[in-house]
Amino acid sequence: MTYEFLQSYWWFVVSLMGAFLVFLLFVQGANSMIFSLGKTPEERRLVINSTGRKWEFTFTTLVTFGASFFASFPLFYSTSFGGAYWVWMLILFSFVVQAVSYEFQNKFGNLLGAKTFQVCLILNGIIGPLLLGGAVATFFNGSNFMVEKSNMMTSVQPVISSWANASGGLDVLLDVWAVVFGIAVFFLARILGILYINNNIHDDVIRGRIRKRLLNNTIAFLVTFLAFFIRTLLKDGFALDPATGTIFMEPYKYFNNLIEMWPLAIILLAGVLLLLFGIIRTLLDKNYVKGIWPAGIGVILVVLVLFLIVGWNNTAFYPSNIDLQHSLTIRNSSSSETTLRAMTYVSFLIPVIIAYMSYAWWSIDRKKLSRDELNKSEAY
């Protein structure tokens, strides 16, 4: 295992974690529609208890995703999490509010009322996917940061990375295409949330509302995602000259990456087809409730490819809009070879972790949630 292989391998691992995270955002997507899918207090409790069974999976994956980035590409972690801190703090705060809302909305002595905490769940369902999507979009569009490794030798200000303005990363909201992608991720989370609720809750009334909401959110997702994706394939990308280490703008860089790494194009196409199959089959067959599985697998494949084409094939995955030469690649931002090698051996446990999570998921969902089950069991 060469150093270059280890760097590419760990970008794959981080990309896979990011792909699973986007899939697990179905929790946020369903929560953003609590009052849309549930018209009565009992129906809303059904929706909340359904997502309440899975929110720990999403939160754990978010933390693991950040930890993986920190361990494998620490310069990116210090640059983005340290410079764009307001964006990440808002994301983390919304997830903390989510956890508190699940726990306390029906506790005895709750003076705020259950509806207050349900509104907090909705805010997490909106803010989480929107800001996560905007943060990922900066991989394609760039951010306003500077990197000065020589500052490590300065006793006055030993800060490697700094933001070029005082926005703390909130300037991402001024990037139209970052906002478009954030909106696309938001609607994707709602699609997955609808498909999950359709599969997880055995209730004819709630399932009767599924198809109309699925169609509306699918149209909104396709418009925003296709606009971002087509524009990304046609725009200039941030390329790395491996011989000199120079960053330069290459026409159609991300399209070229798909062509040059053609297996990724096939995986992307397969992911798109699986996502569309899960959606269309659910729309056409009211008795079909397993759409979350083909759609979820499709989302994982598509997001994985998006991460890989922005990091592999001599591409700057975190471009600097202030100075191109300050951009981060998997070559100049990774941990040492010794660290990556040691982490690689530990990563061989990932299949075991996935198997355990699959078993835990199966154990939780052995019996579908219904009104009778809600009244018999301890519920949120």
Side-chain angles (χ1 to χ4, degrees), residues 58-78:
T58 310
F59 191 83
T60 302
T61 305
L62 174 65
V63 174
T64 306
F65 176 65
S68 300
F69 247 134
F70 169 74
S72 52
F73 301 98
L75 187 54
F76 164 78
Y77 188 91
S78 65

Side-chain angles (χ1 to χ4, degrees), residues 91-164:
I91 293 172
L92 292 173
F93 180 73
S94 74
F95 276 86
V96 171
V97 168
Q98 175 203 53
V100 172
S101 299
Y102 275 122
E103 191 66 29
F104 289 99
Q105 61 181 290
N106 289 312
K107 288 289 187 182
F108 180 77
N110 172 18
L111 301 178
L112 298 176
K115 185 170 289 188
T116 299
F117 288 105
Q118 290 170 2
V119 170
C120 289
L121 289 177
I122 293 174
L123 291 176
N124 168 252
I126 297 172
I127 294 173
L130 182 65
L131 291 183
L132 279 171
V136 172
T138 60
F139 288 2
F140 296 92
N141 298 335
S143 296
N144 299 310
F145 67 89
M146 297 174 290
V147 178
E148 291 291 348
K149 293 184 179 181
S150 59
N151 285 348
M152 284 293 292
M153 308 302 296
T154 304
S155 59
V156 178
Q157 190 180 10
V159 178
I160 299 177
S161 306
S162 60
W163 222 248

